[in-house]
Amino acid sequence: MIIEFSLRNFASIRDKQTISFEAEKSTHLEDHYIINESGYRLLKIALIYGANASGKTTILKALDFLRDLILEPLEKKTDKFDFMPFLFDEKTPKESSTLSIKFLQHGIKYDYEVEFNNKSILKEELHFYNPKKSILFKRTTNIQSQYTSINFGSKIKIDTSVLKTLEANTLWNNTVLGGFLKTNIEFDELRYVVEWFGNYLRTIIYPRTNLENFATSLIEKTAIDKTSIISILKEADLNIFDILMKKKEEQIPEELLELLKKDNETPNSKLQEVINKGKIERTEVEFGHMVNDKMFSLPINLESEGTRRFYCFSTLLTLLIKNSTMFPVDELESSLHPDLYQHFILTFLVNSKKSQLIATTHNREILDNRDLFRNDVIWFTRKNTDSSTELYSLADFDSSVIRNTTNVLNAYKSGKLSGIPNLGDYYIDLSDEKEK
């Protein structure tokens, strides 16, 4: 589980900003919002509000970028990282960037930090607490020689040959954890950390992310139970009582078939079978609706955008409830009615035990009801006059601004909490000066 995440000099983030999942002392809604783990009181959810272009999505992108640094290491020394530092400053484009994360895995707290530029990893450190803080490894990179040096802490026993293999596979633009993935060495201390990034932290979900194939494949593989999805859809009042899946063969277009033959001179057996057959199999999804005691099926492409999105979100809910995992979601409310949006959040909070959710949102209705949220799960992004992003929590405001009786929605709408756009006049003069 994530304890906190920090970033510096990444996109619109110039100075170090931190989002924390550590709960305040308040016991308000504790049973549903807080997970007690290894002495920590961790929040299940963080909702980030803010104006457009204020840096909300940057927080999620940075978390996703860190995940990729670990799980998808670059293959060549000449490959560069796909990110930009803070550009509205003379110094920051030439300076390094830093990402750091504190998390729990198997009851142990880990503290990981990586410093980098667009070409290489400059520094990297991993600490663990068992129970006191100890160094697992420190890594430095010689920029001139492009050589990686890794030093392990005194509590870590590592064979010299294993260390050399790890250093040889950790290119100057790879993390040590990414380099470990390229090896065939046994190293439990590193494996536990890599597994956390791979199994717990999921990739970012955007409004445009096509989750339908993902959801359907999980049901087909019985990785999730179809009846669980149907149950969630029923509770959402979408009048769906069944999910029907039909296999259908389609002819591969001649142009695509020729391209496959040319680009795959030695294709694997499955691809070769598809090429020889000239057809590809796909799954058609239909939803069963009960109307006047009769079941009617409707193809998914004829359903509303909200229904299709909640079908995908039902899959996410099932994974969040049955597993220990975390999903970053951009614009959580996209295509969802406010009541359905609230229903999704409450279903997650009431039923999940070991999972977390971090999401950007513009939906303000939840702020109108203190029976639904805690102050420490609400975050805001504000764009400063120098175009840098500032991240802060509703819990940061003292009692002179936010009291237990304060209507947070009204305070937010009035600008007391910032995080809203500073809009100009409605009147736009499009007349041509020459015509006057």
Side-chain angles (χ1 to χ4, degrees):
M1 299 186 65
I2 290 183
I3 300 172
E4 69 173 39
F5 173 62
S6 301
L7 61 163
R8 178 190 64 82
N9 196 24
F10 190 98
S12 65
I13 306 290
R14 185 187 64 184
D15 304 317
K16 182 179 178 181
Q17 304 295 319
T18 300
I19 187 165
S20 175
F21 282 84
E22 283 200 77
E24 286 197 314
K25 293 180 180 179
S26 170
T27 58
H28 180 52
L29 300 173
E30 175 145 358
D31 290 344
H32 298 315
Y33 271 89
I34 295 174
I35 302 170
N36 290 287
E37 183 77 17
S38 303
Y40 289 88
R41 296 172 67 249
L42 298 179
L43 296 163
K44 294 181 182 180
I45 192 170
L47 296 174
I48 308 174
Y49 290 81
N52 292 112
S54 64
K56 301 186 301 297
T57 305
T58 296
I59 310 299
L60 305 190
K61 285 183 175 179
L63 190 59
D64 205 48
F65 181 82
L66 178 60
R67 182 180 185 274
D68 285 348
L69 280 182
I70 308 304
L71 302 178
E72 298 182 17
L74 300 178
E75 294 298 324
K76 300 177 183 178
K77 276 190 173 184
T78 53
D79 291 339
K80 294 184 178 181
F81 297 125
D82 184 18
F83 94 102
M84 297 297 290
F86 183 73
L87 297 178
F88 297 107
D89 188 287
E90 294 180 355
K91 296 180 179 179
T92 50
K94 302 175 185 178
E95 295 176 342
S96 63
S97 302
T98 305
L99 299 176
S100 61
I101 191 166
K102 296 177 182 178
F103 60 94
L104 294 175
Q105 170 75 323
H106 300 319
I108 297 175
K109 175 184 174 182
Y110 291 89
D111 187 348
Y112 178 71
E113 181 172 285
V114 57
E115 182 181 346
F116 55 95
N117 56 30
N118 68 327
K119 293 181 179 179
S120 66
I121 303 295
L122 303 174
K123 295 179 182 178
E124 188 181 2
E125 293 187 9
L126 179 60
H127 295 85
F128 67 102
Y129 297 72
N130 196 21
K132 294 183 178 180
K133 184 177 182 179
S134 302
I135 184 72
L136 204 157
F137 71 77
K138 286 188 177 182
R139 172 265 186 85
T140 55
T141 303
N142 186 312
I143 300 301
Q144 283 70 40
S145 65
Q146 301 181 6
Y147 177 74
T148 295
S149 176
I150 308 171
N151 294 302
F152 285 88
S154 58
K155 292 186 177 181
I156 306 300
K157 305 302 179 184
I158 181 170
D159 187 80
T160 303
S161 62
V162 171
L163 176 58
K164 288 183 177 180
T165 299
L166 184 58
E167 287 182 332
N169 282 276
T170 305
L171 305 181
W172 76 322
N173 56 359
N174 287 176
T175 61
V176 172
L177 299 171
F180 169 71
L181 281 177
K182 294 181 176 182
T183 69
N184 191 32
I185 60 177
E186 290 187 20
F187 204 141
D188 286 344
E189 290 85 355
L190 295 184
R191 179 171 60 83
Y192 295 151
V193 175
V194 170
E195 285 178 349
W196 183 85
F197 279 97
N199 298 332
Y200 187 80
L201 184 58
R202 301 297 187 106
T203 189
I204 185 172
I205 296 171
Y206 295 100
R208 62 183 180 272
T209 301
N210 184 358
L211 288 175
E212 289 179 10
N213 292 338
F214 172 69
T216 301
S217 66
L218 288 179
I219 295 174
E220 284 187 302
K221 297 173 184 175
T222 64
I224 56 176
D225 186 8
K226 186 175 77 170
T227 57
S228 298
I229 304 299
I230 295 172
S231 176
I232 293 172
L233 292 174
K234 283 182 180 179
E235 294 295 334
D237 192 31
L238 295 174
N239 193 34
I240 294 174
F241 288 81
D242 199 3
I243 300 173
L244 310 172
M245 297 185 177
K246 301 176 182 178
K247 294 290 186 181
K248 183 178 180 180
E249 279 193 343
E250 288 185 346
Q251 199 78 29
I252 301 175
E254 193 64 33
E255 298 82 4
L256 178 58
L257 196 58
E258 289 300 318
L259 189 62
L260 287 173
K261 291 177 180 178
K262 290 179 181 178
D263 290 352
N264 296 276
E265 295 178 1
T266 56
N268 60 47
S269 57
K270 192 168 184 179
L271 181 57
Q272 186 63 59
E273 182 182 340
V274 170
I275 293 173
N276 294 338
K277 196 173 185 180
K279 294 181 179 180
I280 191 167
E281 189 178 68
R282 69 179 183 88
T283 301
E284 287 188 342
V285 177
E286 295 182 357
F287 292 142
H289 294 264
M290 190 67 72
V291 181
N292 295 327
D293 296 327
K294 291 184 179 180
M295 184 76 74
F296 297 87
S297 62
L298 190 66
I300 191 171
N301 63 301
L302 296 182
E303 298 282 358
S304 71
E305 287 299 318
T307 297
R308 296 172 71 170
R309 185 162 174 82
F310 203 79
Y311 163 61
C312 300
F313 272 27
S314 297
T315 305
L316 300 187
L317 273 175
T318 303
L319 293 173
L320 287 164
I321 292 169
K322 294 193 173 183
N323 302 302
S324 176
T325 190
M326 179 189 211
F327 281 100
V329 183
D330 189 34
E331 296 187 18
L332 179 62
E333 74 281 3
S334 179
S335 297
L336 297 181
H337 185 279
D339 288 348
L340 197 53
Y341 166 89
Q342 182 175 297
H343 178 79
F344 174 85
I345 291 177
L346 293 179
T347 302
F348 163 68
L349 290 172
V350 170
N351 295 279
S352 65
K353 304 299 180 186
K354 297 288 184 179
S355 292
Q356 292 171 301
L357 186 69
I358 179 171
T360 68
T361 182
H362 291 288
N363 185 296
R364 304 182 299 191
E365 290 197 10
I366 194 173
L367 300 178
D368 197 29
N369 190 343
R370 282 190 175 273
D371 290 334
L372 295 181
F373 75 90
R374 292 171 52 99
N375 286 3
D376 48 9
V377 305
I378 306 297
W379 292 80
F380 302 101
T381 52
R382 172 173 57 207
K383 180 174 282 190
N384 296 320
T385 55
D386 59 6
S387 289
S388 66
T389 294
E390 182 180 353
L391 176 68
Y392 53 97
S393 170
L394 179 61
D396 293 337
F397 290 91
D398 60 34
S399 59
S400 65
V401 180
I402 296 294
R403 298 183 178 89
N404 289 335
T405 57
T406 299
N407 185 305
V408 176
L409 176 58
N410 287 341
Y412 179 55
K413 289 166 66 176
S414 67
K416 288 184 179 180
L417 309 178
S418 194
I420 59 173
N422 182 20
L423 303 176
D425 194 85
Y426 297 118
Y427 179 74
I428 304 295
D429 186 1
L430 298 179
S431 61
D432 191 333
E433 292 293 331
K434 294 181 181 180
E435 295 179 357
K436 292 183 178 180

